[in-house]
Amino acid sequence: MASTKQLFFANLAQTTDFPLALEMEKAEGCTIWDVNGKPYIDLISGISVSNIGHRHPDVVDAIIKQVNKHMHLLVYGEFIQSPQAELAHALTEALGYDLDNVFLVNSGSEAIEGAMKLAKRFTGKRKLVAFNKAYHGSTQGALSIIGDEEFRRGYRPLLPGIVHLEFNDVNEFDHIDSNTAAVIVETVQGEAGYIPPHPGYLAALREKCDEVGALLIFDEIQAGFGRTGSLFAFQRENVRPDIVTLAKGMGGGMPIGAFVSRKEIMDALKENPILGHITTFGGHPVSSAAALASLKVIRDGELWKNALEGEKRFRKLLVHDLIREVRGMGYMLAIQLDTFERVQKVIEYCLEKGVITDWFLFNETALRIAPPLTLSNEEIDRSCKIILEGIEKTRN
């Protein structure tokens, strides 16, 4: 009989010719164990997903309770299901800024697709403004607005009417005009290597959108749910978006996403035509129950404060002459090195020593640090020691 590893390579579609191919057995808190019992400190949270750690008991309990009631019943939006309704209410309370209508979907890419459609439908305009080195997903619409031509080139033609600007450059705002349906921006650029907005930049975007009648869409898919030192990154800037997209850390490890807006905007999807945006599994009751439990854990424990304190500890410890910069916000940190070869060697060393880190799609010369918000000081100290050893060994 074929081994699991053989089945993985024979039957699962691969995204590269060089997957990590670690065969994992279980996970708990900030640790993942492979089939040989070797533990790994997870410094990337499944790419900003496991914000409260793996298999948090409150999330596991919520999942079990919901499974014992029901799972999928009907396509999204037809039956009244308490996990969906309670989650939507909790999200609107957490987001504030009159963002009172939630459309639940399955993933971040789907949240982006829905937000793009909503902006076009509500404004009647077709132009969308996005940013270079931005990442919003891999579906055709989301791919049209990501900010890297190497990723777009092989799939053209994509959506027309897309303009890409340089992030943090207010001198390019003239491209945001009266034909613009929406400006879509990550509140912290993720795959560019964790680039925060300059102070006042998001506020300037808000002002420009108001001036020309465009909607402002904040992509909080990677930055949200406590990762940047506030519940949502845009709340640090005190800037009101028209639409917010959510996913990743939303589900406590379960697949779920959402786009959120004001009712007057969201209602545009109900007519001309009706069912203007639909999904079969969006807001799956089990995922919704998990997301509600996860949000409660984050809010009750004010876990975003852990990201702020942990950031200080990482910055204090990650000092080395080969580190050009430690950049980012909260638990969205990038260790900037000089070459991909050096990054690759450090990642390999860390894996050998039981620490999982990664690079970035649009910045291959930096290491990703995005651990669960529950990471302990001891785990930080051990991780930094191993990272620094790995960097030092690249001198050879």
Side-chain angles (χ1 to χ4, degrees), residues 23-26 31-41 354:
E23 191 171 348
M24 297 309 197
E25 179 73 16
K26 62 178 182 177
T31 305
I32 305 175
W33 287 265
D34 68 18
V35 291
N36 298 313
K38 179 180 176 180
Y40 298 80
I41 299 173

Side-chain angles (χ1 to χ4, degrees), residues 316-336:
K316 179 181 177 182
L317 294 173
L318 289 172
V319 177
H320 193 284
D321 65 303
L322 292 177
I323 295 177
R324 295 188 170 186
E325 178 185 20
V326 177
R327 179 181 57 249
M329 182 184 293
Y331 273 168
M332 292 182 80
L333 293 176
I335 305 172
Q336 187 64 54

Side-chain angles (χ1 to χ4, degrees), residues 34-53:
D34 68 18
V35 291
N36 298 313
K38 179 180 176 180
Y40 298 80
I41 299 173
D42 184 3
L43 285 191
I44 57 175
S45 308
I47 310 298
S48 303
V49 169
S50 302
N51 285 19
I52 61 171

Side-chain angles (χ1 to χ4, degrees), residues 7-40:
L7 295 175
F8 172 84
F9 283 107
N11 300 126
L12 269 182
Q14 300 295 310
T15 56
T16 71
D17 288 326
F18 45 90
L20 289 175
L22 296 171
E23 191 171 348
M24 297 309 197
E25 179 73 16
K26 62 178 182 177
E28 188 107 22
C30 301
T31 305
I32 305 175
W33 287 265
D34 68 18
V35 291
N36 298 313
K38 179 180 176 180
Y40 298 80

Side-chain angles (χ1 to χ4, degrees), residues 134-247:
Y135 183 80
H136 300 286
S138 291
T139 48
Q140 287 276 303
L143 185 63
S144 301
I145 61 172
I146 71 170
D148 188 280
E149 178 58 22
E150 182 180 348
F151 275 74
R152 299 191 300 257
R153 186 181 299 116
Y155 302 98
R156 291 191 177 280
L158 297 170
L159 292 182
I162 310 294
V163 175
H164 286 88
L165 309 183
E166 288 297 322
F167 186 63
N168 276 329
D169 187 353
V170 297
N171 296 316
E172 295 201 331
F173 281 9
D174 286 346
H175 294 285
I176 305 170
D177 56 26
S178 59
N179 296 315
T180 304
V183 175
I184 304 174
V185 62
E186 294 170 287
T187 47
V188 175
Q189 280 207 316
E191 297 309 312
Y194 292 159
I195 311 293
H198 292 163
Y201 182 73
L202 297 182
L205 269 180
R206 172 74 276 173
E207 184 177 346
K208 183 64 178 181
C209 287
D210 288 342
E211 177 188 318
V212 302
L215 299 185
L216 179 58
I217 301 173
F218 283 163
D219 180 339
E220 285 270 351
I221 290 166
Q222 192 165 169
F225 296 96
R227 183 152 296 282
T228 63
S230 58
L231 189 53
F232 298 101
F234 75 89
Q235 292 171 336
R236 293 182 64 152
E237 300 285 322
N238 197 25
V239 179
R240 175 186 61 79
D242 297 298
I243 305 173
V244 175
T245 59
L246 308 171

